[in-house]
Amino acid sequence: MIIKIKYFLELIAVKLALTLFRILGIKNASNFGSFLARKIGKRLEVQNLARSNLKSAMPLLKDQQIEQTLDDMWDNLGRIC
C-alpha cells in the first residue's frame, strides 16, 4: 500500500514538472533544467564518482578544469533530460 502511494506521489510530481516545463517554453525550460541539475547534481554521490573517474581518465587536468567539466556535465544533463 505504501509503495502505491509513493508511486502516485511520484506521478503527480512528474506531471507537475512536465506541465511547468511546457509552460516555460523550450529555451526557458532548458535553462531551468540546467540550473536545477547544476544545483542538485553537485550534492549527489555520483558527483564524487564522476570526479574520481575524470581524475583517473585525465590525470593531467587541474582541479579547476575537472570542476568546470563536472559543471558542464550537469548543465548538459539538465538541458537534455
Side-chain angles (χ1 to χ4, degrees):
M1 180 67 177
I2 299 291
I3 301 242
K4 288 183 181 182
I5 293 171
K6 178 184 174 195
Y7 289 154
F8 180 72
L9 293 174
E10 287 175 357
L11 173 67
I12 291 172
V14 168
K15 285 190 176 204
L16 286 173
L18 290 175
T19 301
L20 173 65
F21 284 121
R22 192 173 296 120
I23 291 169
L24 289 174
I26 292 174
K27 184 176 180 179
N28 291 329
S30 177
N31 291 337
F32 184 61
S34 168
F35 171 79
L36 284 178
R38 283 183 284 121
K39 295 301 177 189
I40 295 170
K42 290 180 181 180
R43 291 169 171 71
L44 300 176
E45 184 62 32
V46 72
Q47 173 83 352
N48 294 330
L49 177 62
R51 183 180 292 110
S52 174
N53 287 345
L54 275 172
K55 286 181 179 183
S56 294
M58 301 178 178
L60 299 179
L61 284 182
K62 297 177 181 171
D63 288 340
Q64 183 180 7
Q65 292 171 307
I66 289 174
E67 294 307 314
Q68 182 62 51
T69 301
L70 292 170
D71 192 52
D72 292 345
M73 174 192 73
W74 289 116
D75 175 73
N76 186 52
L77 285 172
R79 290 181 188 280
I80 63 172
C81 290

